[in-house]
Amino acid sequence: MDQYCILGRIGEGAHGVVFKAKHVETGEIVALKKVALRRLEDGIPNQALREIKALQETEDSPYVVQLKAVFPHGAGLVLAFEFMLSDLAEVVRHAQRPLAQAHVKSYLQMLLKGVAFCHANNIVHRDLKPANLLISSSGQLKIADFGLARIFSPDGSRLYTHQVATRWYRAPELLYGACQYDQGVDLWAVGCIMGELLNGSPLFPGENDIEQLCCVLRILGTPSPKVWPEITELPDYKKISFKEQAPVPLEEVLPDASPQALDLLGQFLLYPPRQRIAASQESACLGVLGPGLP
């Protein structure tokens, strides 16, 4: 830690406190994430190990935040990241009105390239949201905070917790208690982020898990086994029942968005996870949105 001079506190995530710091010898500005160990005998927390492993797998992508160093400090661990000026949540919060389509397309393009890279390396992020999408001084978007990431099992045999992803960006299968899921949870989150960029505020701002489902159902309608056959196998399907609601056309929800943007949004916000458009189709699906920023 002696090689860094702390410049200030950036914030606190679920898995550690983050500081802005300067490398004493090189002058390089970095973000230092301190991960505390509860007890020495507990070893390094799983979240930190997962984050390190995922970032090592994705270090070749310009759309994933770069991990520069990992070193022990006191009874904990410090992760040194490239410093990023802001995040997408701050960009949306300070925008005077919903972002111009060129900006939406530009951010979405970088997000999809990062997600596609993760998925190609069998990594599911599981906590995509605007606050975890960092923005550099030049406007480059990079995916950060891999503390909930998992190496994905292509055969679908592994069981995972459904208590992942920040609630507003949590896929319906997770809200229904799914323990077997795939990259579809990230693609749903991409749709929620896209909707927020178009809207200037979150599409599904639920205050608890049940209300979160209600927010989704209000717009997309009540899911049925006909539309989503796998829903009947989800653990909480029979525990929760909702009044039948028809879907609301997305053009009524987002009246200022272009038909092309709404069409693409609808391909992310689909109930059956396997039907959501893949991040690797980024070039094809973004072509319809018109020019982005250079």
Side-chain angles (χ1 to χ4, degrees):
M1 204 54 189
D2 294 343
Q3 68 266 41
Y4 292 100
C5 170
I6 302 294
L7 301 176
R9 182 168 165 150
I10 297 172
E12 187 167 352
H15 314 302
V17 184
V18 183
F19 295 91
K20 181 180 181 181
K22 181 167 78 170
H23 195 282
V24 175
E25 287 183 14
T26 66
E28 182 183 26
I29 304 295
V30 297
L32 298 181
K33 185 179 197 176
K34 289 186 177 181
V35 181
L37 303 186
R38 289 187 183 87
R39 296 179 307 172
L40 211 52
E41 60 267 30
D42 289 342
I44 299 170
N46 283 337
Q47 288 98 334
L49 286 172
R50 281 199 292 269
E51 182 158 24
I52 293 163
K53 183 170 176 52
L55 286 163
Q56 286 171 339
E57 294 281 339
T58 57
E59 63 183 1
D60 294 333
S61 174
Y63 304 103
V64 174
V65 73
Q66 188 183 359
L67 178 64
K68 292 183 166 289
V70 181
F71 52 90
H73 175 64
L77 201 64
V78 175
L79 281 63
F81 295 97
E82 62 178 315
F83 178 74
M84 303 287 279
L85 194 63
S86 182
D87 61 50
L88 197 58
E90 203 172 331
V91 169
V92 173
R93 196 161 54 243
H94 292 144
Q96 295 300 313
R97 53 181 181 275
L99 296 170
Q101 185 159 295
H103 285 93
V104 173
K105 180 179 178 180
S106 180
Y107 286 134
L108 196 59
Q109 187 169 39
M110 292 184 276
L111 170 58
L112 287 172
K113 283 183 175 177
V115 172
F117 192 91
C118 292
H119 291 178
N121 284 278
N122 292 323
I123 293 168
V124 185
H125 186 280
R126 304 202 306 172
D127 196 17
L128 293 174
K129 59 181 177 181
N132 285 343
L133 304 176
L134 305 185
I135 310 291
S136 74
S137 54
S138 64
Q140 171 88 339
L141 179 147
K142 299 193 180 196
I143 301 171
D145 205 336
F146 282 75
L148 289 175
R150 280 285 196 280
I151 302 298
F152 169 66
S153 170
D155 61 8
S157 60
R158 290 179 65 178
L159 299 178
Y160 306 103
T161 175
H162 64 280
Q163 292 293 346
V164 294
T166 303
R167 185 180 296 114
W168 295 350
Y169 311 92
R170 197 176 293 165
E173 59 268 30
L174 298 175
L175 294 167
Y176 275 107
C179 292
Q180 285 182 299
Y181 50 82
D182 57 19
Q183 295 103 321
V185 299
D186 285 349
L187 300 173
W188 175 272
V190 168
C192 294
I193 293 163
M194 181 184 178
E196 190 164 339
L197 291 175
L198 292 167
N199 192 40
S201 61
L203 276 186
F204 308 120
E207 291 186 11
N208 55 54
D209 286 1
I210 296 295
E211 193 186 315
Q212 187 62 32
L213 260 177
C214 288
C215 287
V216 173
L217 269 55
R218 252 180 243 126
I219 292 177
L220 300 184
T222 313
S224 69
K226 184 178 178 183
V227 171
W228 183 13
E230 299 82 6
I231 192 175
T232 57
E233 299 161 24
L234 296 178
D236 296 341
Y237 172 64
K238 290 182 180 167
K239 296 179 189 173
I240 317 165
S241 59
F242 296 95
K243 189 178 75 174
E244 285 291 322
Q245 294 184 80
V248 176
L250 287 177
E251 54 265 30
E252 291 182 20
V253 181
L254 300 165
D256 297 327
S258 71
Q260 295 91 339
L262 294 175
D263 179 63
L264 177 56
L265 179 62
Q267 294 183 67
F268 286 116
L269 299 180
L270 289 169
Y271 281 125
R274 299 280 166 88
Q275 289 182 25
R276 293 169 199 154
I277 189 166
S280 57
Q281 292 179 254
E282 162 261 328
S283 298
C285 66
L286 287 175
V288 301
L289 290 186
L293 296 173

PDB file of all heavy atoms in Angstrom, residues 3 20 29 42 50 53 59 67 133-134 195 200 228 230 248 259 270 273:
ATOM      1  N   GLN A   3       3.121   2.128  -1.918  1.00  0.00           N
ATOM      2  CA  GLN A   3       3.420   2.707  -3.237  1.00  0.00           C
ATOM      3  C   GLN A   3       2.313   3.619  -3.740  1.00  0.00           C
ATOM      4  O   GLN A   3       2.428   4.204  -4.811  1.00  0.00           O
ATOM      5  CB  GLN A   3       3.721   1.599  -4.269  1.00  0.00           C
ATOM      6  CG  GLN A   3       2.542   0.720  -4.660  1.00  0.00           C
ATOM      7  CD  GLN A   3       2.466  -0.557  -3.839  1.00  0.00           C
ATOM      8  OE1 GLN A   3       2.683  -0.550  -2.640  1.00  0.00           O
ATOM      9  NE2 GLN A   3       2.163  -1.670  -4.496  1.00  0.00           N
ATOM     10  N   LYS A  20      -9.739   6.669  -4.559  1.00  0.00           N
ATOM     11  CA  LYS A  20      -8.924   7.197  -5.650  1.00  0.00           C
ATOM     12  C   LYS A  20      -7.510   7.351  -5.101  1.00  0.00           C
ATOM     13  O   LYS A  20      -7.323   7.843  -3.975  1.00  0.00           O
ATOM     14  CB  LYS A  20      -9.478   8.545  -6.111  1.00  0.00           C
ATOM     15  CG  LYS A  20      -8.716   9.172  -7.278  1.00  0.00           C
ATOM     16  CD  LYS A  20      -9.355  10.511  -7.668  1.00  0.00           C
ATOM     17  CE  LYS A  20      -8.638  11.156  -8.843  1.00  0.00           C
ATOM     18  NZ  LYS A  20      -9.238  12.460  -9.205  1.00  0.00           N
ATOM     19  N   ILE A  29      -2.963   7.504 -11.818  1.00  0.00           N
ATOM     20  CA  ILE A  29      -4.159   7.540 -10.979  1.00  0.00           C
ATOM     21  C   ILE A  29      -4.893   6.213 -11.123  1.00  0.00           C
ATOM     22  O   ILE A  29      -5.128   5.738 -12.234  1.00  0.00           O
ATOM     23  CB  ILE A  29      -5.099   8.699 -11.379  1.00  0.00           C
ATOM     24  CG1 ILE A  29      -4.348  10.041 -11.326  1.00  0.00           C
ATOM     25  CG2 ILE A  29      -6.333   8.737 -10.484  1.00  0.00           C
ATOM     26  CD1 ILE A  29      -3.887  10.470  -9.955  1.00  0.00           C
ATOM     27  N   ASP A  42     -10.776 -17.304   7.688  1.00  0.00           N
ATOM     28  CA  ASP A  42     -11.796 -17.451   6.642  1.00  0.00           C
ATOM     29  C   ASP A  42     -11.189 -17.413   5.241  1.00  0.00           C
ATOM     30  O   ASP A  42     -11.814 -17.843   4.268  1.00  0.00           O
ATOM     31  CB  ASP A  42     -12.847 -16.326   6.734  1.00  0.00           C
ATOM     32  CG  ASP A  42     -13.745 -16.493   7.947  1.00  0.00           C
ATOM     33  OD1 ASP A  42     -13.775 -17.617   8.495  1.00  0.00           O
ATOM     34  OD2 ASP A  42     -14.389 -15.516   8.344  1.00  0.00           O
ATOM     35  N   ARG A  50     -13.786 -14.405  -7.061  1.00  0.00           N
ATOM     36  CA  ARG A  50     -14.563 -14.463  -8.312  1.00  0.00           C
ATOM     37  C   ARG A  50     -14.263 -13.249  -9.177  1.00  0.00           C
ATOM     38  O   ARG A  50     -14.130 -13.350 -10.393  1.00  0.00           O
ATOM     39  CB  ARG A  50     -16.064 -14.529  -8.006  1.00  0.00           C
ATOM     40  CG  ARG A  50     -16.533 -15.915  -7.598  1.00  0.00           C
ATOM     41  CD  ARG A  50     -18.030 -16.041  -7.748  1.00  0.00           C
ATOM     42  NE  ARG A  50     -18.759 -15.220  -6.814  1.00  0.00           N
ATOM     43  CZ  ARG A  50     -19.160 -15.631  -5.619  1.00  0.00           C
ATOM     44  NH1 ARG A  50     -18.876 -16.845  -5.211  1.00  0.00           N
ATOM     45  NH2 ARG A  50     -19.847 -14.846  -4.825  1.00  0.00           N
ATOM     46  N   LYS A  53     -10.772 -13.636 -10.705  1.00  0.00           N
ATOM     47  CA  LYS A  53     -10.770 -14.666 -11.754  1.00  0.00           C
ATOM     48  C   LYS A  53     -11.468 -14.153 -13.015  1.00  0.00           C
ATOM     49  O   LYS A  53     -10.963 -14.300 -14.129  1.00  0.00           O
ATOM     50  CB  LYS A  53     -11.446 -15.940 -11.254  1.00  0.00           C
ATOM     51  CG  LYS A  53     -11.428 -17.079 -12.262  1.00  0.00           C
ATOM     52  CD  LYS A  53     -11.881 -18.378 -11.636  1.00  0.00           C
ATOM     53  CE  LYS A  53     -11.964 -19.506 -12.632  1.00  0.00           C
ATOM     54  NZ  LYS A  53     -10.755 -19.724 -13.432  1.00  0.00           N
ATOM     55  N   GLU A  59      -9.315  -9.702 -19.388  1.00  0.00           N
ATOM     56  CA  GLU A  59      -8.362  -8.592 -19.412  1.00  0.00           C
ATOM     57  C   GLU A  59      -8.051  -8.095 -20.827  1.00  0.00           C
ATOM     58  O   GLU A  59      -7.511  -7.006 -20.995  1.00  0.00           O
ATOM     59  CB  GLU A  59      -7.070  -8.981 -18.681  1.00  0.00           C
ATOM     60  CG  GLU A  59      -6.315 -10.129 -19.334  1.00  0.00           C
ATOM     61  CD  GLU A  59      -5.077 -10.529 -18.525  1.00  0.00           C
ATOM     62  OE1 GLU A  59      -4.843  -9.918 -17.468  1.00  0.00           O
ATOM     63  OE2 GLU A  59      -4.381 -11.449 -18.960  1.00  0.00           O
ATOM     64  N   LEU A  67      -7.963  -4.655 -14.353  1.00  0.00           N
ATOM     65  CA  LEU A  67      -7.375  -4.917 -13.039  1.00  0.00           C
ATOM     66  C   LEU A  67      -5.854  -4.826 -13.187  1.00  0.00           C
ATOM     67  O   LEU A  67      -5.244  -5.593 -13.922  1.00  0.00           O
ATOM     68  CB  LEU A  67      -7.785  -6.307 -12.546  1.00  0.00           C
ATOM     69  CG  LEU A  67      -7.205  -6.753 -11.203  1.00  0.00           C
ATOM     70  CD1 LEU A  67      -7.712  -5.858 -10.069  1.00  0.00           C
ATOM     71  CD2 LEU A  67      -7.570  -8.209 -10.920  1.00  0.00           C
ATOM     72  N   LEU A 133     -21.353   0.351 -14.702  1.00  0.00           N
ATOM     73  CA  LEU A 133     -20.819   0.645 -16.035  1.00  0.00           C
ATOM     74  C   LEU A 133     -20.057   1.957 -15.940  1.00  0.00           C
ATOM     75  O   LEU A 133     -20.653   3.033 -15.856  1.00  0.00           O
ATOM     76  CB  LEU A 133     -21.957   0.727 -17.064  1.00  0.00           C
ATOM     77  CG  LEU A 133     -22.853  -0.515 -17.134  1.00  0.00           C
ATOM     78  CD1 LEU A 133     -23.992  -0.293 -18.106  1.00  0.00           C
ATOM     79  CD2 LEU A 133     -22.062  -1.759 -17.506  1.00  0.00           C
ATOM     80  N   LEU A 134     -18.740   1.858 -15.893  1.00  0.00           N
ATOM     81  CA  LEU A 134     -17.908   3.032 -15.653  1.00  0.00           C
ATOM     82  C   LEU A 134     -17.599   3.757 -16.955  1.00  0.00           C
ATOM     83  O   LEU A 134     -17.512   3.144 -18.011  1.00  0.00           O
ATOM     84  CB  LEU A 134     -16.613   2.623 -14.948  1.00  0.00           C
ATOM     85  CG  LEU A 134     -16.792   1.843 -13.629  1.00  0.00           C
ATOM     86  CD1 LEU A 134     -15.453   1.602 -12.968  1.00  0.00           C
ATOM     87  CD2 LEU A 134     -17.748   2.568 -12.675  1.00  0.00           C
ATOM     88  N   GLY A 195     -33.634   0.671 -21.650  1.00  0.00           N
ATOM     89  CA  GLY A 195     -34.889   1.371 -21.351  1.00  0.00           C
ATOM     90  C   GLY A 195     -34.664   2.600 -20.490  1.00  0.00           C
ATOM     91  O   GLY A 195     -35.283   3.644 -20.699  1.00  0.00           O
ATOM     92  N   GLY A 200     -34.760   8.000 -19.242  1.00  0.00           N
ATOM     93  CA  GLY A 200     -34.218   8.949 -18.269  1.00  0.00           C
ATOM     94  C   GLY A 200     -34.451   8.523 -16.838  1.00  0.00           C
ATOM     95  O   GLY A 200     -34.029   9.203 -15.899  1.00  0.00           O
ATOM     96  N   TRP A 228     -44.334 -18.658 -22.173  1.00  0.00           N
ATOM     97  CA  TRP A 228     -43.096 -19.014 -21.475  1.00  0.00           C
ATOM     98  C   TRP A 228     -43.290 -20.377 -20.809  1.00  0.00           C
ATOM     99  O   TRP A 228     -43.568 -20.464 -19.619  1.00  0.00           O
ATOM    100  CB  TRP A 228     -42.794 -17.921 -20.448  1.00  0.00           C
ATOM    101  CG  TRP A 228     -41.520 -18.061 -19.676  1.00  0.00           C
ATOM    102  CD1 TRP A 228     -40.473 -18.891 -19.912  1.00  0.00           C
ATOM    103  CD2 TRP A 228     -41.166 -17.305 -18.500  1.00  0.00           C
ATOM    104  NE1 TRP A 228     -39.489 -18.722 -18.975  1.00  0.00           N
ATOM    105  CE2 TRP A 228     -39.890 -17.744 -18.110  1.00  0.00           C
ATOM    106  CE3 TRP A 228     -41.804 -16.305 -17.766  1.00  0.00           C
ATOM    107  CZ2 TRP A 228     -39.240 -17.207 -16.985  1.00  0.00           C
ATOM    108  CZ3 TRP A 228     -41.155 -15.782 -16.666  1.00  0.00           C
ATOM    109  CH2 TRP A 228     -39.881 -16.231 -16.285  1.00  0.00           C
ATOM    110  N   GLU A 230     -41.419 -22.719 -19.668  1.00  0.00           N
ATOM    111  CA  GLU A 230     -40.565 -23.105 -18.536  1.00  0.00           C
ATOM    112  C   GLU A 230     -40.997 -22.464 -17.214  1.00  0.00           C
ATOM    113  O   GLU A 230     -40.531 -22.866 -16.145  1.00  0.00           O
ATOM    114  CB  GLU A 230     -39.096 -22.706 -18.797  1.00  0.00           C
ATOM    115  CG  GLU A 230     -38.457 -23.362 -20.008  1.00  0.00           C
ATOM    116  CD  GLU A 230     -38.804 -22.660 -21.322  1.00  0.00           C
ATOM    117  OE1 GLU A 230     -39.454 -21.585 -21.288  1.00  0.00           O
ATOM    118  OE2 GLU A 230     -38.422 -23.191 -22.375  1.00  0.00           O
ATOM    119  N   VAL A 248     -48.593  -3.651 -22.304  1.00  0.00           N
ATOM    120  CA  VAL A 248     -48.757  -2.274 -22.773  1.00  0.00           C
ATOM    121  C   VAL A 248     -47.769  -2.058 -23.918  1.00  0.00           C
ATOM    122  O   VAL A 248     -46.594  -2.407 -23.789  1.00  0.00           O
ATOM    123  CB  VAL A 248     -48.468  -1.262 -21.635  1.00  0.00           C
ATOM    124  CG1 VAL A 248     -48.547   0.171 -22.143  1.00  0.00           C
ATOM    125  CG2 VAL A 248     -49.414  -1.478 -20.475  1.00  0.00           C
ATOM    126  N   PRO A 259     -39.166   3.805 -33.384  1.00  0.00           N
ATOM    127  CA  PRO A 259     -39.684   2.433 -33.541  1.00  0.00           C
ATOM    128  C   PRO A 259     -38.566   1.392 -33.557  1.00  0.00           C
ATOM    129  O   PRO A 259     -38.725   0.295 -33.023  1.00  0.00           O
ATOM    130  CB  PRO A 259     -40.406   2.489 -34.901  1.00  0.00           C
ATOM    131  CG  PRO A 259     -40.734   3.934 -35.112  1.00  0.00           C
ATOM    132  CD  PRO A 259     -39.634   4.706 -34.454  1.00  0.00           C
ATOM    133  N   LEU A 270     -37.820 -10.023 -23.111  1.00  0.00           N
ATOM    134  CA  LEU A 270     -38.691 -11.165 -23.397  1.00  0.00           C
ATOM    135  C   LEU A 270     -38.699 -12.094 -22.183  1.00  0.00           C
ATOM    136  O   LEU A 270     -37.663 -12.278 -21.534  1.00  0.00           O
ATOM    137  CB  LEU A 270     -38.181 -11.940 -24.618  1.00  0.00           C
ATOM    138  CG  LEU A 270     -38.336 -11.250 -25.982  1.00  0.00           C
ATOM    139  CD1 LEU A 270     -37.556 -12.007 -27.045  1.00  0.00           C
ATOM    140  CD2 LEU A 270     -39.820 -11.172 -26.369  1.00  0.00           C
ATOM    141  N   PRO A 273     -35.946 -16.727 -21.423  1.00  0.00           N
ATOM    142  CA  PRO A 273     -34.551 -16.270 -21.492  1.00  0.00           C
ATOM    143  C   PRO A 273     -33.855 -16.631 -22.798  1.00  0.00           C
ATOM    144  O   PRO A 273     -33.069 -15.843 -23.329  1.00  0.00           O
ATOM    145  CB  PRO A 273     -33.896 -16.998 -20.311  1.00  0.00           C
ATOM    146  CG  PRO A 273     -35.019 -17.316 -19.382  1.00  0.00           C
ATOM    147  CD  PRO A 273     -36.217 -17.529 -20.234  1.00  0.00           C
TER     148      PRO A 273
END
